[in-house]
Amino acid sequence: MSATGAVRAHGVVLGIETSCDETAAAVVVAGREVRANVVAGQAERHAPFGGVVPEIAGRAHVELIGGVVADALVEAGCTLTDLDAVAACRGPGLAGALLVGVSAAKALALAAGCPYVGVNHLDAHCEAAWLEDPDLPAPFVTLVASGGHTLLALVEAPGALRLLGETYDDAAGEAFDKVARLLGLGYPGGPEIDRLATRGDPSAVRFPRPVADDRLDFSFSGLKTAVANHRRDHPEVPVADVAAAFQEAVVDTLVTKLVAAARRTGVRTVTLGGGVAANSRLRVRALEAGEEAGLRVVLPDRALCTDNAAMIAATGFRRLRDRGPDPLTGGVDPAARLGG
Ligand code: KG4
Ligand code: ZN
């Protein structure tokens, strides 16, 4: 670290992510090169409740964080003394869950004698594309679709993010989880519906495409109600067909808006982030739509789309370079907005 707060060009950053129900730690060099990316999921602890229970998530993070950090350091072949900084997700997310990661990161930074930096989870999802392609030229448009958020952002440069549109109600991942529950599938619902839909007919039912005008915003709560009503009125329709038709409606909406956002901003490159970006149908449809519209579509590896700490470490490196470290008195921001 220099007096201005600038980090070494090849700085080694330990990232920590505990905003929801994944306990994750990663080591990233120079904000681009992933040396370790460890994630301990807690899905089985929340599954009996059909969704994330904040109290259980906080306790599980406390239990898991030590081992996950140790695994990441071993995998990266480094010790605390090799670290140039420790970054943690400071929000948005569950307050109790965020506190575990931020507190651990501050303690580790203190022990390692290096700076601490807090990172916005949404910014990190937007910038994860640079871990897939370090030379990806900005500007580009990113669709972030996760369990807690669905938004479109223009990434003008590292750290220069502009919100183009977001969901009015449920996030896309939340809709997957709620519909999966309605269909009697397990939690988390996204991967379950993704798997089941491969055996279903997406044209069996025509579910509504919400906000089907030129706005870049989303709404998924009506779609969930439409599926509930359809189940009640047509219980004979195979569950796989309903899952495939629901998924098609969500994917159709996401892809249409992504292409519209590229057209509106004049960018030629689009990327995906967030847990829903792991959806196989979304990945195929985004590539097809991109080809049709003459857009380059960058699909980060699934492990970089779902919650992970590599994106936190990479964004932490960039923040540290541009703005310097955060004080150890810095708190969490459960309601942080993009760029906040
Ligand atoms: O980004 P993420 O890991 O955590 C949040 O920040 O929310 O996203 C989790 C969400 C869950 O709602 C999960 O059901 C959804 O992403 N998801 C998927 C798939 N994999 C995870 N949704 C659709 N298809 C998938 N393959
Ligand atoms: Zn996320």
Side-chain angles (χ1 to χ4, degrees):
M1 278 290 289
S2 76
T4 60
V7 70
R8 285 193 302 137
H10 291 283
V12 180
V13 179
L14 170 69
I16 293 180
E17 156 64 41
T18 62
S19 65
C20 191
D21 63 341
E22 320 280 1
T23 313
V27 176
V28 174
V29 177
R32 293 289 187 269
E33 190 194 323
V34 183
R35 288 278 170 84
N37 192 16
V38 178
V39 181
Q42 313 170 358
E44 71 290 349
R45 302 183 195 220
H46 301 284
F49 306 95
V52 177
V53 182
E55 173 70 17
I56 293 176
R59 284 168 185 267
H61 286 310
V62 171
E63 228 175 86
L64 297 167
I65 189 78
V68 167
V69 167
D71 287 352
L73 290 173
V74 168
E75 204 176 307
C78 63
T79 65
L80 280 188
T81 53
D82 299 315
L83 299 180
D84 288 283
V86 184
C89 172
R90 53 181 284 278
L94 302 168
L98 290 165
L99 277 167
V100 177
V102 164
S103 306
K106 289 175 181 174
L108 287 163
L110 205 57
C114 68
Y116 157 77
V117 64
V119 170
N120 181 304
H121 184 86
L122 298 173
D123 295 13
H125 270 308
C126 288
E127 298 193 23
W130 274 307
L131 289 171
E132 184 65 34
D133 178 358
D135 301 318
L136 182 67
F140 56 84
V141 163
T142 299
L143 166 72
V144 177
S146 71
H149 305 275
T150 297
L151 60 84
L152 282 160
L154 174 64
V155 182
E156 292 173 309
L161 313 175
R162 186 151 63 83
L163 184 68
L164 300 171
E166 62 188 329
T167 183
Y168 293 126
D169 41 57
D170 289 356
E174 193 179 353
F176 268 99
D177 294 338
K178 287 178 175 170
V179 166
R181 195 148 124 193
L182 248 157
L183 299 180
L185 307 173
Y187 172 85
E192 296 277 336
I193 289 184
D194 195 345
R195 260 192 302 276
L196 186 61
T198 57
R199 293 192 270 119
D201 173 9
S203 62
V205 191
R206 170 84 190 174
F207 286 119
R209 270 58 173 163
V211 198
D213 56 25
D214 62 357
R215 275 173 293 169
L216 297 178
D217 297 303
F218 306 89
S219 167
F220 292 109
S221 66
L223 183 54
K224 177 197 64 196
T225 309
V227 175
N229 292 343
H230 182 271
R231 279 317 280 158
R232 186 194 58 216
D233 299 340
H234 303 280
E236 74 289 356
V237 176
V239 174
D241 287 353
V242 178
F246 158 76
Q247 177 177 270
E248 203 62 17
V250 176
V251 167
D252 212 12
T253 305
L254 295 175
V255 169
T256 303
K257 302 277 177 188
L258 178 61
V259 172
R263 200 173 300 127
R264 183 89 58 88
T265 53
V267 306
R268 309 304 312 155
T269 305
V270 297
T271 75
L272 301 180
V276 180
N279 183 269
S280 9
R281 184 71 181 141
L282 175 60
R283 294 172 83 88
V284 169
R285 286 284 311 279
L287 286 174
E288 286 171 358
E291 195 173 346
E292 214 167 281
L295 299 171
R296 179 176 171 213
V297 180
V298 176
L299 296 178
D301 188 84
R302 282 178 168 80
L304 296 171
C305 291
T306 50
D307 280 354
N308 67 87
M311 66 180 191
I312 301 295
T315 307
F317 175 82
R318 193 263 305 152
R319 269 191 69 99
L320 198 56
R321 194 187 52 201
D322 297 348
R323 300 167 52 163
D326 285 320
L328 290 181
T329 48
V332 299
D333 187 356
R337 306 267 299 153
L338 182 81

